[in-house]
Amino acid sequence: MMKSHDGEWGPGAADPRVAAIRGALDSHCIVLVGMMGSGKSAIGQRLAARLGLRFFDADAEIVSAAGMTIPEIFQKYGEGYFRDGERRVLFRLLNNGPIVLATGGGAFLDPRTRRRIAERGVSVWFDADHETLLKRVRRKSDRPLLQTPDPGATLRRLMDDRNPIYATADIRVVSRDVPQEAMVEETMDALAGRLPSMTIGAHRSTKETQAIMNHFAQRPNQTSNAAPHFENVRVGLGERSYDIVIGSGLLAQAGERIAAVAPGAACAIVTDSNVAALYLPALEDSLKASGLRTTSIVVEPGESSKSLGVFGRVCEEAIAARIERRDVIVALGGGVVGDLSGFVAASLRRGARFIQIPTSLLAQVDSSVGGKTGINSPQGKNLIGAFHQPALVLADVDTLVTLPPRELRAGYAEVVKYGLICDRRFFEWLEADGDAVFHSKPEQICAVAVSCETKARIVANDETEQGDRALLNLGHTFGHAFERLVNYDNARLVHGEGVAIGLALALRFSHRLGLCAGQDAERAERHLASLGLPTRIGEIPGWNFDADAVLNAMYQDKKVEKGALTFVLLRGIGEAFVAKSVDAGEVRRFLLSEI
């Protein structure tokens, strides 16, 4: 195919720029940045079609995920909430390269987003003058930042603030009031002219990346435009709705935040001896500084504290401390403390208020959210308990620093679970950046927030696990059986390790049943193993149980109905479903092949 007489490349034309751009781009993204009205979405779609790439619009992805328009999000939750969600969406989309990605006008202002774009691709600034932008944005009334008495002046102020940061983009294209196809041509020329000689994405040297970040750091308004250091996820349950706050430094703010939820309340802090030594004094000081009376109840660490005996002792100590129904039980610790404390709160005076301050990754992403509380029975895990929602969850990622590496890895298994259940893009982000979750606070906050968002959405639709909430048990039917067989001996198997093995088994079992592609099962197993998690039954120390023992333990699973086994299986990564009445013989044959 040839150029036409008027110089345009027709459909299917062998445009040499396409090969040059695609070759230089490799697996990286073209990220379009700039002011509202600069043409990122319209030009981006046409540019992607010309290059044979997928196109994503970050704003459209946010709207789809939230089920609300952007003005509605701004009105209901505020700009800070929107920016937090925007950053997480972009982090995930940037793992889908090669793509063309149009960002919202404020996205590039966040230094973490700019760094991620520098790592994942090339940024292109569509630079338009004030008159052009004003003419374009007046065509739409859905610009929340321009809902002011003088939109033109507001737009000018935004441009003055933002343009110096946009100017740090890799490539600049002047967005003019010409036909969109002409703008596509100019963008193609700019990309073809610059990309082959550029070092982009992960191939940038450490020196280059640092130079880019130093340049960003010199922008005078970077700090004022940086996203908040915490994120908020709302669990929507009508009058019992509550917030999950995720960030750094939250323990010091606990008194202020709890006093806002329960002013004047007395607080019974339930924690274990390990966590007490690290964080109890700071929490007590914070509560007292906010005028809250406190008492502390310390239990032994580990699953042995999720027993009827310890439950009874904690109840008695809380009653002795004159904790009333309008007072608060505060869980400070990991999943064991949270489950135990929640059941105490559900039972004390037929229901006291309850606040979670989870200090482990597993508790922050899973057990602290959703209102499941309980203790263990010799017959199985969490068989005695109640649904009792917290009034507030404070997930301080600073507490993850003191977690032993094994516990941090175990919590990460629950993070991976959310990607496998219903968010393939989140799983892809973890594949690319999973190791950062172990040492980087921004990535930890992002991982916890996305996990909590997924769980919050499922819990809001099915609070008491009558339907889709069972999806959250992906991998747990296997994992809980293994924990029971080793008698909850943490030296041999902690919960997250059981879940990791269970996730891998759920995928392999799904493949055996013809539901899931083998490469998806291998991909998930490879990711879990790459971060030090077990994926095979034989990796449990001292394992000496046969398939029948595992099957018998599974029959104590909470999802068993009328004696029939229920599993969460997968049609692929991000496509989990609840499978009822699974044939026990098929399960046994699968276990025989695994053991």
Side-chain angles (χ1 to χ4, degrees):
M1 225 189 59
M2 305 289 293
K3 239 183 186 182
S4 63
H5 62 83
D6 58 0
E8 294 295 322
W9 292 94
D15 186 340
R17 295 173 299 176
V18 173
I21 294 168
R22 290 291 300 265
L25 199 62
D26 192 19
S27 62
H28 301 100
C29 304
I30 296 172
V31 184
L32 308 180
V33 305
M35 287 294 298
M36 62 186 88
S38 61
K40 300 184 297 291
S41 296
I43 298 168
Q45 290 184 63
R46 288 167 172 77
L47 177 66
R50 182 73 69 83
L51 293 171
L53 298 176
R54 292 177 297 165
F55 173 76
F56 290 93
D57 185 312
D59 283 352
E61 295 286 323
I62 293 167
V63 168
S64 175
M68 293 184 284
T69 65
I70 290 175
E72 287 170 342
I73 297 172
F74 267 70
Q75 182 177 12
K76 186 172 183 179
Y77 297 113
E79 183 179 1
Y81 177 90
F82 173 80
R83 296 300 175 202
D84 290 339
E86 178 181 54
R87 187 178 67 256
R88 294 196 299 274
V89 166
L90 287 169
F91 271 37
R92 283 177 273 168
L93 290 174
L94 286 166
N95 287 318
N96 289 315
I99 61 171
V100 176
L101 172 60
T103 65
F108 201 60
L109 307 183
D110 188 315
R112 287 166 290 182
T113 299
R114 295 199 298 273
R115 182 179 65 222
R116 187 54 55 94
I117 291 171
E119 293 168 349
R120 298 286 187 241
V122 58
S123 51
V124 180
W125 174 30
F126 284 168
D127 180 14
D129 62 41
H130 180 266
E131 293 307 314
T132 299
L133 290 175
L134 190 60
K135 181 167 67 173
R136 291 174 180 173
V137 298
R138 278 176 171 162
R139 298 170 188 163
K140 293 185 177 181
S141 59
D142 62 346
R143 309 287 188 179
L145 296 180
L146 296 184
Q147 303 306 307
T148 65
D150 189 347
T154 301
L155 181 64
R156 174 73 70 186
R157 178 181 56 79
L158 289 171
M159 292 177 68
D160 290 344
D161 287 345
R162 294 178 176 186
N163 281 358
I165 297 179
Y166 293 146
T168 65
D170 294 310
I171 296 173
R172 173 177 174 263
V173 174
V174 177
S175 179
R176 299 177 294 114
D177 203 9
V178 297
Q180 290 174 349
E181 194 58 38
M183 285 304 310
V184 173
E185 286 295 312
E186 292 182 19
T187 306
M188 291 277 289
D189 285 341
L191 287 166
R194 291 288 310 281
L195 273 180
S197 61
M198 286 178 58
T199 310
I200 64 171
H203 299 301
R204 297 183 200 257
S205 68
T206 303
K207 185 176 180 181
E208 281 180 294
T209 303
Q210 189 59 53
I212 291 167
M213 295 315 299
N214 288 343
H215 185 56
F216 291 155
Q218 292 166 7
R219 304 317 312 170
N221 59 346
Q222 175 174 311
T223 301
S224 64
N225 283 301
H229 69 288
F230 61 85
E231 301 203 15
N232 193 85
V233 175
R234 185 76 171 166
V235 182
L237 291 168
E239 294 181 355
R240 292 175 298 107
S241 298
Y242 57 93
D243 290 325
I244 308 162
V245 186
I246 306 123
S248 174
L250 285 171
L251 201 61
Q253 301 176 18
E256 179 184 349
R257 290 179 179 274
I258 292 173
V261 173
C267 298
I269 305 168
V270 181
T271 189
D272 68 44
S273 56
N274 288 343
V275 175
L278 295 167
Y279 303 117
L280 182 57
L283 178 57
E284 288 175 331
D285 290 347
S286 180
L287 294 173
K288 290 173 184 175
S290 295
L292 302 175
R293 176 171 66 86
T294 68
T295 188
S296 298
I297 304 169
V298 180
V299 302
E300 290 301 309
E303 286 285 335
S304 61
S305 286
K306 284 177 60 172
S307 67
L308 281 168
V310 175
F311 166 76
R313 175 173 75 80
V314 175
C315 284
E316 290 296 337
E317 290 192 33
I319 292 169
R322 302 194 305 279
I323 298 298
E324 301 175 357
R325 183 177 292 180
R326 298 302 298 168
D327 291 329
V328 179
I329 303 293
V330 180
L332 174 68
V336 167
V337 165
D339 287 354
L340 170 66
S341 304
F343 190 34
V344 169
S347 307
L348 197 70
R349 304 186 191 278
R350 296 192 176 93
R353 285 190 286 189
F354 175 44
I355 286 173
Q356 289 264 24
I357 305 181
T359 60
S360 70
L361 181 59
L362 190 149
Q364 289 182 2
V365 303
D366 189 63
S367 60
S368 67
V369 180
K372 276 190 178 181
T373 74
I375 56 177
N376 299 332
S377 158
Q379 304 301 315
K381 190 168 182 176
N382 299 326
L383 294 181
I384 304 168
F387 287 97
H388 189 63
Q389 298 292 343
L392 176 68
V393 180
L394 301 176
D396 190 336
V397 297
D398 291 347
T399 63
L400 303 182
V401 175
T402 56
L403 278 183
R406 184 186 182 199
E407 291 291 340
L408 197 57
R409 287 195 300 269
Y412 183 79
E414 292 280 6
V415 177
V416 174
K417 177 189 76 176
Y418 292 106
L420 294 175
I421 287 173
C422 60
D423 195 338
R424 187 181 184 93
R425 288 181 187 160
F426 184 43
F427 179 81
E428 290 169 348
W429 179 71
L430 293 172
E431 278 188 310
D433 278 338
D435 59 335
V437 177
F438 290 80
H439 55 77
S440 169
K441 286 182 185 179
E443 275 72 17
Q444 287 170 346
I445 292 170
C446 182
V448 174
V450 174
S451 299
C452 289
E453 283 177 339
T454 302
K455 185 163 187 177
R457 185 170 61 251
I458 292 173
V459 167
N461 291 329
D462 180 21
E463 182 180 2
T464 58
E465 201 170 303
Q466 303 303 307
D468 283 350
R469 182 165 178 168
L471 292 171
L472 297 170
N473 288 310
L474 176 65
H476 287 58
T477 301
F478 291 106
H480 282 169
F482 303 147
E483 287 182 271
R484 182 181 174 223
L485 288 171
V486 301
N487 200 27
Y488 306 109
D489 181 354
N490 283 349
R492 298 176 66 185
L493 187 73
V494 295
H495 175 69
E497 292 169 342
V499 170
I501 298 171
L503 293 174
L505 288 173
L507 276 153
R508 291 199 292 271
F509 187 40
S510 298
H511 174 55
R512 181 187 180 96
L513 296 176
L515 300 167
C516 171
Q519 55 264 39
D520 280 349
E522 293 170 4
R523 184 177 172 187
E525 179 178 356
R526 183 168 56 250
H527 178 59
L528 291 165
S530 72
L531 292 167
L533 284 160
T535 59
R536 300 277 173 172
I537 299 172
E539 294 179 69
I540 302 173
W543 181 262
N544 60 355
F545 300 97
D546 61 17
D548 290 324
V550 177
L551 194 59
N552 289 335
M554 285 179 174
Y555 274 105
Q556 290 295 346
D557 186 79
K558 299 183 299 298
K559 298 186 297 300
V560 169
E561 292 184 13
K562 298 180 180 179
L565 293 171
T566 297
F567 283 83
V568 182
L569 301 177
L570 299 102
R571 296 186 178 90
I573 292 172
E575 300 179 69
F577 68 99
V578 179
K580 296 190 175 184
S581 300
V582 176
D583 179 63
E586 192 66 54
V587 178
R588 185 177 184 276
R589 286 188 291 273
F590 172 68
L591 289 169
L592 284 170
S593 69
E594 289 287 327
I595 295 173

